[in-house]
Amino acid sequence: MKAAIALALNAVIAEAEKRPGSIIMKSLGSLGMLFALTTTVVALDGEVRIHDPSTLVQCNGRFYTYGTGGTCLVSEDGWTWSRGVTPPRRGMAPDIIHVNDRYLMYVARNVGAQPRADINLIWTTSLDTQSTEAKWEEAGVVASSDGIEDCNAIDPGLLLDPNDGRLWMVYGSYFGFIRLVELDATTGLRIDAQAQPVNLAVNCEAAILIHEAGWYYLLATHGSCCRGADSGYNIRVGRSRNVTGPYLDHEGVDMIRGGGKLFAGSGGRVIGPGHFGRIPLGAGIEKFSCHYEADLDRGGASVLDIRPLLWKDGWPEAGENLRDGTFQIESVRTGTALELAIEGMPVGGRRERRGGAGAAGIGAGGPGAGRPPGGGGGPFAGIGRPIPNQDVAQVSTNWPAGEVPLRMANYLCQAQQKWSITAVTNAGGYLGSPYFKITVANTDRALAATAEGELAAVPAFTGAPEQLWQIDQLTDGSWRLQPKSTPGGSEPLALSAIGASFATLSKFDAASNKHRWILKAP
Amino acid sequence: MTPRHRILSLTSLAVAVLWMAGHGVRAADGVANAPTLKQPTSTECVPSSDGFIRRWLILEPIPAGGLTDGAVQALVKKVHFPDQFTGLPKDGDKASPTGAELVWHAVETTEYNVNLFHFARALGKPTSNVLFWGVTVIHCPEEVKDVRLAIGSNAASVWWVNGSEVIGIYGDRQTIIDDGVSKRLTLKKGANIVRAAVVNGGGATDFCARFLDANDRPLKGFSVRLVGESK
């Protein structure tokens, strides 16, 4: 059912592409214009319509993913996507893995009434269609279901075990079991075609295995697919010390009895996440790919997304890409917050520490002035009414007009400590997100990298690379902030709390808290 | 104690006395009563195992007030004594910033920090609403690039390395290791002068200082002498 509807969706898109003057294409075009005019931060940019995307792979610096019906999406930076070349074998819900210089793609097809299906292997040494090596080879069937047995041999998912280099494939969809077979990492074919597959789970599809810190995790998609905004798709997970299971969820329920801890469900304006694919990006940072059955901002289309992958208490969690907002930027290392290096004004104005004579701020006004009736006086009584936030236009009159150094301090709700983080349109991006500008809230003063590898706030955002920030959520949920580039610099640098009162830029070190930041609502 | 040890001890004592005489360190000083401070008894010392600079010349406190950025900057930019940003005093040198005669003291802390409260109290001087000037000299065998001065102070403080202001931290604050950190700087081969002005409001007052290398690890491999280049 899922595959049929997905194929229909792709057919509509393909038809629209073939007939640029058609009503369908005009509608999609109008929709695209609407997105262009109204978009702030959405799930990826460009052409992202896909169903059942494979795990992302890289080739010659580009990211690739393949979906049902032969959809191929390609991106230079992981943010802006375009349609790539369909591989010769179209089918359902492929998965792809790069092993020993070969890209192994496993593609399923129905070979009769469901659940009669098989999974075929095709391979190539390059996904870059400009390369002379880009030639897909057929390698045959690696798994099948006969239509009677308790399995539907579609939705393959691959794991190259980091411990021993063994290659595993899980497959299956709702009819009966999710099954596990071992593949030859060199040929991509079954180690033993006669070996009985191992049953791992039921009542799900789009399964895939990952390994982390001594555990195997089986991520599989529960719920119904292919019903647009009415799809109950959600990604669930169980774990085991052995690749062959049993895979238990956080409540101890075996996935072979329907268990599964929620990893990602619907939220915001996207409905029905499914088809998890892991994207490791080095120490301390991971992401995952999935599709949503319906992106309400894209007319309910099925679209690709890339989100942070977090780890908490031994379980993977789905992080959220950063959205526009105003934040305090607090160092995990020091607990202090980034601010302009200017003399701050206490919120509500200055007052004497003990409420003495000459108080100029909120404590001023004479004995008992403004204090709540019957509440008692003294230095802790407050003023008896809410104190408004600082108006940056008012408190910034003494701030230097030019470039201002940065520093860190205890957060005191002051204007120079509040930062607006805003997606920058048409400036490109990185895996899952556009670049952001970081400005002192309600001002144009923008955080920038300097040629010395230090920080400054420039008077106005110009869009220069040193003012564009890549903001990635790390696996512990904290954030890494990196300028797109540093003037004259060649290696990526990250915002670093080198001292309690001073921040700089330095090479990211996943083992240190100095590059980890918390973005808090002020 | 063997006769040989006795001879060595006497020799060491004589060397120390001669050095102290040569560097103006007086044989007896009220600082000796400070529980965490002692008078230097050698020509040089090395930083602690975690890089802290333990030997300093400290001027007796100057009455002062105000801990905000503006108040501290105005205070330290005011000329309190000649050669405020260029001179290198000796132990026992005197200055008269406010008419009253104040004395420079060579001190060496037994801790990671220099306890200015102990310093002032041992000398019978005020500890609140005061400004302390401190200076030290570190001698590097080679030029060292991309290092940072990293300090903590109670309370506000401003710091200079070889005449350039590199750190300012303000407000009523306690000493935190590596609170204020400079931008990357270069220590030249030979003598490098580190100067500090610490302003205290009330209560405890102290500071700590070290250099961090390009990998943010404590810098060692230099000596502290309280004197400039040998003539």
Side-chain angles (χ1 to χ4, degrees):
Chain A
M1 178 66 79
K2 171 191 77 169
I5 294 178
L7 284 169
L9 170 69
N10 278 280
V12 169
I13 296 169
E15 183 65 18
E17 287 172 342
K18 279 189 286 185
R19 298 164 58 193
S22 69
I23 292 174
I24 298 170
M25 198 62 210
K26 285 175 181 170
S27 300
L28 291 172
S30 301
L31 207 54
M33 182 63 75
L34 183 65
F35 296 149
L37 292 174
T38 61
T39 291
T40 50
V41 177
V42 294
L44 304 180
D45 197 18
E47 175 52 81
V48 292
R49 287 169 296 165
I50 194 170
H51 201 259
D52 311 327
S54 71
T55 302
L56 260 63
V57 286
Q58 275 189 282
C59 180
N60 292 345
R62 294 189 186 91
F63 297 99
Y64 292 81
T65 183
Y66 298 86
T68 289
T71 309
C72 172
L73 298 182
V74 187
S75 177
E76 300 277 350
D77 59 8
W79 165 244
T80 304
W81 293 79
S82 60
R83 198 156 288 265
V85 176
T86 299
R89 176 173 283 275
R90 297 180 177 213
M92 294 180 288
D95 198 27
I96 186 168
I97 191 168
H98 191 208
V99 185
N100 298 331
D101 297 328
R102 294 205 299 178
Y103 294 91
L104 308 176
M105 183 189 287
Y106 296 82
V107 191
R109 62 175 179 172
N110 292 318
V111 291
Q114 284 189 324
R116 191 173 178 197
D118 63 22
I119 297 171
N120 284 261
L121 167 64
I122 58 174
W123 65 269
T124 180
T125 54
S126 177
L127 303 176
D128 182 353
T129 52
Q130 303 302 313
S131 167
T132 56
E133 297 175 5
K135 184 174 183 303
W136 289 100
E137 303 284 352
E138 290 279 352
V141 173
V142 293
S144 62
S145 54
D146 60 11
I148 299 171
E149 63 189 288
D150 279 336
C151 184
N152 183 15
I154 64 170
D155 284 13
L158 286 304
L159 169 68
L160 185 66
D161 193 323
N163 298 310
D164 52 21
R166 295 168 77 180
L167 183 61
W168 300 93
M169 181 177 77
V170 289
Y171 61 95
S173 171
Y174 293 120
F175 292 89
F177 299 105
I178 299 297
R179 287 182 161 167
L180 172 74
V181 293
E182 184 174 5
L183 306 176
D184 183 317
T186 302
T187 66
L189 298 171
R190 292 275 287 277
I191 288 273
D192 179 357
Q194 304 307 313
Q196 185 65 28
V198 179
N199 296 329
L200 300 182
V202 294
N203 298 338
C204 55
E205 63 178 6
I208 197 164
L209 289 169
I210 63 175
H211 183 274
E212 181 70 21
W215 290 94
Y216 293 91
Y217 294 85
L218 178 63
L219 290 110
T221 307
H222 287 217
S224 57
C225 89
C226 316
R227 299 170 62 170
D230 194 29
S231 303
Y233 241 25
N234 61 93
I235 303 172
R236 293 187 174 258
V237 61
R239 67 180 185 181
S240 174
R241 289 293 186 187
N242 301 303
V243 69
T244 53
Y247 286 88
L248 308 182
D249 68 15
H250 60 312
E251 297 292 329
V253 181
D254 196 328
M255 291 181 80
I256 211 160
R257 305 177 81 178
K261 179 181 189 290
L262 182 66
F263 170 78
S266 301
R269 289 179 55 77
V270 288
I271 293 171
H275 285 261
F276 171 96
R278 188 183 198 181
I279 312 170
L281 295 170
I285 182 163
E286 291 191 55
K287 302 205 176 187
F288 73 94
S289 60
C290 68
H291 79 235
Y292 299 117
E293 289 290 334
D295 179 346
L296 300 179
D297 288 329
R298 284 185 161 98
S302 174
V303 299
L304 177 71
D305 197 12
I306 297 166
R307 291 168 56 178
L309 174 59
L310 317 182
W311 289 92
K312 186 177 179 185
D313 300 329
W315 291 94
E317 289 190 352
E320 298 280 352
N321 287 311
L322 187 63
R323 293 169 186 269
D324 290 5
T326 299
F327 304 92
Q328 56 167 299
I329 302 175
E330 179 185 297
S331 164
V332 170
R333 181 186 183 193
T334 66
T336 48
L338 194 68
E339 68 170 21
L340 288 188
I342 54 94
E343 185 170 325
M345 173 63 70
V347 180
R350 295 196 187 282
R351 65 170 174 170
E352 293 294 321
R353 189 172 180 178
R354 291 186 173 82
I362 59 173
R371 291 178 184 142
F380 308 114
I383 62 171
R385 63 178 185 274
I387 298 172
N389 285 331
Q390 287 183 334
D391 177 355
V392 68
Q394 211 167 37
V395 298
S396 66
T397 51
N398 292 331
W399 295 2
E403 198 170 288
V404 179
L406 274 294
R407 69 183 178 196
M408 299 201 299
N410 292 323
Y411 183 73
L412 296 173
C413 306
Q414 296 178 8
Q416 76 280 5
Q417 301 179 313
K418 297 179 182 180
W419 299 91
S420 289
I421 300 181
T422 312
V424 180
T425 53
N426 302 320
Y430 48 98
L431 263 178
S433 279
Y435 285 112
F436 293 88
K437 65 176 178 179
I438 304 175
T439 52
V440 176
N442 300 313
T443 78
D444 292 329
R445 296 171 185 266
L447 186 64
T450 70
E452 295 77 32
E454 304 288 357
L455 295 162
V458 295
F461 176 75
T462 65
E466 64 270 20
Q467 299 173 20
L468 295 171
W469 291 83
Q470 175 175 340
I471 305 177
D472 290 302
Q473 195 168 26
L474 300 169
T475 52
D476 67 351
S478 63
W479 298 85
R480 179 182 70 180
L481 292 82
Q482 293 189 152
K484 182 179 180 183
S485 66
T486 305
S490 56
E491 65 174 356
L493 299 177
L495 184 66
S496 169
I498 192 172
S501 298
F502 187 74
T504 185
L505 295 169
S506 62
K507 190 177 175 184
F508 177 67
D509 177 5
S512 170
N513 282 331
K514 67 188 176 187
H515 293 117
R516 296 176 185 274
W517 299 83
I518 301 168
L519 302 178
K520 289 182 175 175
Chain B
M1 182 178 283
T2 64
R4 184 164 178 266
H5 285 147
R6 188 173 293 119
I7 290 167
L8 284 172
S9 296
L10 289 170
T11 305
S12 299
L13 180 62
V15 168
V17 167
L18 285 172
W19 177 84
M20 290 164 69
H23 292 79
V25 175
R26 290 142 302 140
D29 193 315
V31 169
N33 296 323
T36 56
L37 301 174
K38 61 182 183 179
Q39 286 182 276
T41 56
S42 60
T43 55
E44 66 179 40
C45 70
V46 295
S48 67
S49 59
D50 38 12
F52 290 104
I53 302 167
R54 296 179 296 186
R55 185 177 292 190
W56 293 82
L57 280 154
I58 308 288
L59 181 63
E60 292 173 353
I62 301 168
L67 296 171
T68 62
D69 306 34
V72 170
Q73 276 292 329
L75 176 65
V76 302
K77 296 292 161 36
K78 178 183 170 187
V79 175
H80 296 102
F81 47 87
D83 303 330
Q84 184 166 293
F85 296 108
T86 55
L88 190 54
K90 295 192 299 292
D91 183 66
D93 279 0
K94 295 179 173 58
S96 303
T98 56
E101 196 169 72
L102 302 177
V103 181
W104 286 92
H105 297 264
V107 301
E108 189 164 315
T109 178
T110 57
E111 308 296 323
Y112 73 97
N113 61 328
V114 177
N115 193 317
L116 296 170
F117 185 87
H118 287 174
F119 172 82
R121 192 174 60 176
L123 296 168
K125 301 291 182 181
T127 58
S128 296
N129 299 314
V130 288
L131 161 66
F132 295 93
W133 283 96
V135 63
T136 192
V137 187
I138 67 166
H139 293 253
C140 298
E142 301 293 340
E143 180 183 87
V144 197
K145 290 185 174 176
D146 292 335
V147 301
R148 299 172 189 270
L149 178 63
I151 62 91
S153 64
N154 184 346
S157 63
V158 182
W159 297 72
W160 296 260
V161 174
N162 293 329
S164 297
E165 184 177 325
V166 295
I167 297 174
I169 58 176
Y170 308 98
D172 185 14
R173 60 200 308 139
Q174 292 73 47
T175 293
I176 298 168
I177 291 172
D178 303 344
D179 185 357
V181 181
S182 74
K183 294 180 178 177
R184 296 171 180 90
L185 54 85
T186 298
L187 292 175
K188 63 189 182 191
K189 180 181 180 180
N192 296 268
I193 298 176
V194 181
R195 203 176 299 274
V198 179
V199 185
N200 191 38
T205 175
D206 64 330
F207 71 85
C208 63
R210 62 179 174 177
F211 282 94
L212 303 176
D213 68 15
N215 296 311
D216 303 341
R217 291 184 298 244
L219 183 73
K220 288 180 263 186
F222 60 85
S223 60
V224 185
R225 293 184 200 163
L226 300 188
V227 293
E229 299 286 8
S230 302
K231 300 292 183 188

